[in-house]
């Protein structure tokens, strides 16, 4: 069974994503979750969870930040809240959160999300042996590596099939430090749409912003793997993530619908290369104009990755 997972930026968008056939909504609040399109209040998280459950769908909550002491103190209370509203699962990146869950008897399944650390079956299985029900595969893992590790995986691995790829995170406030140095009083929030370019490469466009987790920098292009879905399915990678952090509004829902249609046709054995190409072209028209699209690391030769 293919599972389509999508971020949500509002209650209205969450409802629309469920209506077009998304299986699992991915939400959370900025204090604990990394790189979310929006930070939902506790009341909103409860409403979305109830809404999803009413139509037989699921909710995953992001708890994948590195929890420094001031945040770790707040984790037990948040976990208790999530258990009370009966979220289906959480993503976890900090071993301290796993410890708290086990210590406090929190009965919520967790998916290990160690970002760029999750590059081999050994790392995934290490956490599977410690209770995880899945893992978020690093976005840098090419398809040839995925094929090599698939038979060794003890739990399913999630693959990003649409959206922005974070390539660097630093706890340091790099933008604020720059503003302090240049004596500018500017906002470093995501809403500014800031980006950086490589020296002498003005065409590069690495989106950057700051929040309480530090500084986040994203790849030049966003990922669109709708033309590669059949390959993923054949290799038993069937948990597909759509990330709308830089793809907002109604167009993200329309993109999600295209992935739902692809999923249904792949499961029915009726998906064709012509349909895939048409979907690629449709997504290109729906994607934000200032952001490029490609297939990321998918086709890279593993021997070329340093």
């Amino acid at each position: 069974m293919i599972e389509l997972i999508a971020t949500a930026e509002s209650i209205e968008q969450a409802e629309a994503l469920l209506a077009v056939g998304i299986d699992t909504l991915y939400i959370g609040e900025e204090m604990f979750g990394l790189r979310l399109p929006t930070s939902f209040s506790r009341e909103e998280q409860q409403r979305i969870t109830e809404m999803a459950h009413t139509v037989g769908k699921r909710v995953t909550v992001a708890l994948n930040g590195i929890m420094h002491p001031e945040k770790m103190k707040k984790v037990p209370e948040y976990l208790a809240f999530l258990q009370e509203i009966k979220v289906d699962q959480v993503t976890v990146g900090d071993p301290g959160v796993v410890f708290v869950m086990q210590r406090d008897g929190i009965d919520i399944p967790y998916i290990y999300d160690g970002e760029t650390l999750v590059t081999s079956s050994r790392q995934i299985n290490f956490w599977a042996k410690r209770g995880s029900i899945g893992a978020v595969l690093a976005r840098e893992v090419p398809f040839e590596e995925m094929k090599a590790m698939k038979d060794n995986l003890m739990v399913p691995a999630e693959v990003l099939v649409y959206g922005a790829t974070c390539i660097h995170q630093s706890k340091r406030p790099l933008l604020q430090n720059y503003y302090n140095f240049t004596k500018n009083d500017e906002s470093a929030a995501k809403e500014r749409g800031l980006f950086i370019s490589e020296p002498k490469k003005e065409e590069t466009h690495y989106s950057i912003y700051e929040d309480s987790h530090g500084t986040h920098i994203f790849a030049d292009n966003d990922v669109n793997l709708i033309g590669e879905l059949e390959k993923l399915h054949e290799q038993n990678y069937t948990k597909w993530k759509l990330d709308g952090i830089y793809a907002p509004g109604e167009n993200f829902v329309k993109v999600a619908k295209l992935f739902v249609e692809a999923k249904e046709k792949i499961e029915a054995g009726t998906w064709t290369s012509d349909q895939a190409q048409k979907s690629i072209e449709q997504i290109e028209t729906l994607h934000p104009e200032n952001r490029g699209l490609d297939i990321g690391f998918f086709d890279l030769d593993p021997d070329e990755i340093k």
Side-chain angles (χ1 to χ4, degrees):
M1 284 287 292
I2 298 168
E3 178 186 5
L4 276 173
I5 306 151
T7 60
E9 66 180 20
S10 65
I11 290 177
E12 293 73 24
Q13 191 189 60
E15 187 173 21
L17 288 165
L18 293 172
V20 298
I22 287 297
D23 303 300
T24 301
L25 295 173
Y26 188 83
I27 63 169
E29 57 186 82
E30 190 272 340
M31 173 69 70
F32 307 104
L34 294 177
R35 294 177 287 279
L36 297 164
T38 197
S39 182
F40 286 107
S41 69
R42 299 291 170 90
E43 180 187 0
E44 289 170 330
Q45 291 173 66
Q46 183 169 2
R47 282 184 61 191
I48 289 172
T49 302
E50 291 171 352
M51 184 170 63
H53 289 171
T54 298
V55 292
K57 304 298 180 69
R58 300 195 293 180
V59 170
T60 298
V61 171
L63 224 82
N64 55 346
I66 299 300
M67 306 301 179
H68 293 270
E70 69 277 7
K71 290 192 176 186
M72 189 60 80
K73 291 176 184 175
K74 300 176 181 179
V75 166
E77 181 268 336
Y78 187 50
L79 283 168
F81 163 74
L82 295 178
Q83 181 162 266
E84 181 182 340
I85 68 170
K86 296 182 172 61
V87 300
D88 298 280
Q89 52 214 7
V90 295
T91 56
V92 174
D94 191 321
V97 176
V98 178
F99 170 80
V100 170
M101 292 177 71
Q102 294 173 344
R103 181 197 68 189
D104 295 354
I106 299 296
D107 188 25
I108 306 174
Y110 80 91
I111 297 163
Y112 182 65
D113 183 9
E115 291 290 324
T116 53
L117 297 176
V118 189
T119 57
S120 74
S121 57
R122 284 185 62 190
Q123 285 145 329
I124 291 172
N125 292 343
F126 176 90
W127 289 103
K129 293 172 184 175
R130 287 155 181 81
S132 76
I133 63 163
V136 177
L137 195 64
R139 311 316 189 191
E140 294 82 358
V141 178
F143 185 57
E144 288 302 315
E145 289 282 352
M146 294 168 65
K147 288 198 291 185
M149 74 168 72
K150 72 178 178 68
D151 291 333
N152 297 322
L153 295 178
M154 296 172 61
V155 292
E158 174 195 292
V159 180
L160 179 72
V161 295
Y162 175 77
T165 300
C166 180
I167 57 173
H168 179 76
Q169 180 188 345
S170 172
K171 176 62 178 172
R172 293 172 294 173
L174 301 179
L175 280 168
Q176 193 58 56
N177 289 347
Y178 171 76
Y179 290 145
N180 292 343
F181 179 76
T182 57
K183 297 181 170 56
N184 282 312
D185 185 18
E186 300 278 354
S187 168
K190 179 168 68 72
E191 290 69 28
R192 287 287 310 281
L194 298 172
F195 67 91
I196 54 177
S197 296
E198 292 185 44
K200 300 180 181 179
K201 291 185 179 180
E202 294 183 6
E203 74 279 5
T204 54
H205 187 287
Y206 303 110
S207 294
I208 182 171
Y209 74 90
E210 275 177 27
D211 61 13
S212 70
H213 297 278
T215 307
H216 311 268
I217 303 175
F218 293 80
D220 205 25
N221 288 333
D222 297 341
V223 168
N224 176 20
L225 293 186
I226 201 161
E228 314 296 335
L229 296 181
E230 201 159 31
K231 293 179 184 177
L232 290 171
H233 185 250
E234 287 170 356
Q235 299 299 322
N236 204 32
Y237 286 95
T238 56
K239 292 188 178 295
W240 301 343
K241 172 82 172 291
L242 311 177
D243 193 322
I245 187 170
Y246 282 113
E250 185 182 353
N251 278 11
F252 182 65
V253 178
K254 291 178 179 177
V255 168
K257 186 176 181 181
L258 289 171
F259 275 91
V260 171
E261 291 169 355
K263 165 196 163 178
E264 291 171 348
K265 288 174 181 174
I266 288 170
E267 288 182 330
T270 59
W271 183 243
T272 66
S273 57
D274 287 346
Q275 290 169 331
Q277 184 57 41
K278 184 179 178 183
S279 296
I280 290 170
E281 293 167 2
Q282 288 177 291
I283 289 172
E284 287 172 350
T285 66
L286 293 168
H287 198 64
E289 289 183 4
N290 64 333
R291 304 192 67 82
L293 279 172
D294 59 28
I295 59 172
F297 294 84
F298 193 82
D299 268 349
L300 283 186
D301 182 342
D303 294 332
E304 294 180 5
I305 299 175
K306 306 298 183 187

